[in-house]
């Protein structure tokens, strides 16, 4: 096994880059703005520069680098490296992010769903260590979901990533870009909270949470709707998967973990068909590092 891999976690607002060792330790890191609106070419240039700087800081010799793992919000075409997410990464869709990095660094590069990458990181060095069945929900710009069974990430037809964030929790709910209505993402993701809050003058999702904490009735109702959607989704997910551990991560999920843990635990408490005390709800232990550690772990496993 090679000593290091480069992990990249691409988010809607920022990109984290890390040089990661076999135990999951991050030896050097960079965080840059995604700034998708500036275009794909500009983003690729910033990412390449951040990789160069990270490797230089870590003192990683090219011969010791197993490869580069890219955690990215779907949908995308893993085989071609082409990003197809017009919602989270507007302006990047249709572009191949893998080939330019292969050409530049002469190392294997793999594209993996960001929620899958986060769960792989938690399985290596975080809250999913030792779990035979683990479920992770990441709440941020979107709602990501991933499932680990016997050490392997669950993949569906054609090897694609199941889109757990598009589980329908209310078929009469808001329209979602996926083509349906009332998905979990349409209620609980950051942009959904921001859209609901805009009607009352709130600038973004965090402004909604702050106003709710201050007692504003409209903001509290928006947050409660998000929490209720999470409870409904968790009810379906735990009956379908019976995970030993449910991890909650992502920027919003981690900042407001108590809210979403309470939602999940209410669903679990009502689940009389689930084994008593068998499902733990935990905060993602690696925080913002989970995705880049997991993306790197994918390359270390392949080395």
């Amino acid at each position: 096994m090679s000593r290091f891999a480069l992990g990249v976690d691409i988010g809607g607002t920022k990109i984290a880059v890390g040089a990661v060792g076999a135990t999951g330790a991050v030896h050097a890191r960079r965080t840059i703005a995604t700034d998708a609106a500036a275009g794909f070419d500009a983003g690729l240039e910033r990412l390449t520069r951040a990789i160069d700087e990270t490797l230089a800081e870590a003192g990683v010799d090219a011969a010791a680098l197993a490869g580069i793992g890219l955690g990215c919000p779907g949908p995308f075409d893993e085989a071609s490296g082409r990003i197809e997410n017009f919602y989270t990464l507007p302006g990047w869709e249709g572009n191949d992010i893998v080939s330019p990095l292969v050409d530049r660094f002469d190392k294997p590069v793999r594209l993996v769903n960001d929620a899958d990458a986060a769960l792989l990181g938690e399985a290596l060095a975080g809250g999913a260590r030792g779990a035979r069945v683990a479920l992770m929900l990441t709440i941020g710009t979107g709602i990501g979901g991933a499932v680990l069974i016997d050490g392997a990430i669950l993949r569906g037809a054609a090897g694609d990533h199941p889109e757990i964030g598009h589980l329908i929790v209310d078929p009469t709910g808001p329209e979602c870009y996926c083509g349906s209505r009332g998905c979990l993402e349409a209620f609980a993701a950051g942009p959904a909270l921001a859209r609901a809050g805009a009607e009352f003058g709130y600038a973004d999702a965090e402004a909604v949470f702050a106003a709710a904490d201050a007692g504003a009735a409209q903001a509290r109702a928006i947050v409660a709707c998000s929490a209720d959607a999470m409870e409904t989704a968790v009810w379906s997910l735990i009956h379908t998967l019976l995970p030993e551990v449910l991890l909650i991560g992502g920027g919003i999920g981690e900042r407001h973990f108590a809210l979403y843990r309470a939602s999940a635990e209410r669903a679990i408490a009502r689940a009389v068909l689930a084994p008593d005390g068998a499902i733990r709800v935990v905060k993602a232990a690696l925080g913002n590092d989970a995705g880049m550690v997991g993306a790197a772990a994918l390359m270390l496993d392949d080395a």
Side-chain angles (χ1 to χ4, degrees), residues 3-9 15-31 50-51 53-55 57-60 65 117-118 120-122 124-126 285-297 300:
R3 187 181 176 193
F4 290 97
L6 207 292
V8 178
D9 184 23
I15 299 172
V17 180
V20 180
T23 64
V26 180
H27 295 264
R29 72 183 73 223
R30 289 289 186 279
T31 301
I51 290 173
E53 292 171 354
T54 302
L55 293 176
E57 180 183 334
V60 176
L65 185 64
L120 285 169
E122 292 289 335
L124 174 64
L286 300 184
N288 291 332
D289 285 354
M292 69 180 181
V293 169
L300 291 165

Side-chain angles (χ1 to χ4, degrees), residues 52-271:
D52 282 333
E53 292 171 354
T54 302
L55 293 176
E57 180 183 334
V60 176
D61 184 89
L65 185 64
I68 301 172
L70 303 173
C72 183
F76 52 76
D77 185 330
E78 186 172 343
S80 70
R82 188 174 63 251
I83 293 172
E84 297 173 348
N85 189 327
F86 64 90
Y87 183 72
T88 306
L89 298 169
W92 285 32
E93 69 271 17
N95 287 282
D96 171 10
I97 195 171
V98 170
S99 297
L101 295 177
V102 171
D103 293 343
R104 171 66 176 76
F105 294 99
D106 194 28
K107 289 291 179 179
V109 178
R110 285 188 62 181
L111 192 58
V112 62
N113 181 274
D114 57 345
D116 287 348
L119 183 49
L120 285 169
E122 292 289 335
L124 174 64
R129 279 180 297 185
R132 190 180 72 80
V133 181
L135 166 65
M136 185 168 187
L137 294 173
T138 57
I139 309 168
T141 307
I143 303 287
V147 180
L148 186 81
I149 302 176
D150 291 329
I153 290 290
L154 175 67
R155 292 298 184 92
D160 279 0
H161 167 84
E163 292 290 347
I164 293 173
H166 294 281
L167 181 70
I168 294 174
V169 297
D170 179 0
T172 67
E175 290 186 0
C176 180
Y177 67 91
C178 75
S180 190
R181 301 184 70 97
C183 299
L184 175 60
E185 185 163 311
F187 281 104
L193 291 162
R195 282 193 299 273
E199 180 180 350
F200 304 103
Y202 300 120
D204 53 26
E206 285 307 311
V208 173
F209 281 110
D213 288 343
Q218 301 98 329
R220 293 184 68 177
I222 293 168
V223 170
C225 186
S226 166
D228 288 347
M230 182 63 64
E231 182 177 347
T232 300
V234 169
W235 171 269
S236 295
L237 290 167
I238 62 173
H239 283 85
T240 303
L241 299 165
L242 278 181
E244 296 165 0
V245 58
L246 166 59
L247 297 102
I248 296 176
I252 290 175
E254 290 173 22
R255 284 193 295 275
H256 305 285
F257 173 69
L259 171 74
Y260 295 110
R261 177 180 58 190
S263 295
E265 289 181 342
R266 284 195 298 272
I268 293 168
R270 293 190 293 113

Side-chain angles (χ1 to χ4, degrees), residues 264-280:
E265 289 181 342
R266 284 195 298 272
I268 293 168
R270 293 190 293 113
V272 297
L273 299 181
D276 288 343
I279 304 172
R280 296 180 294 116

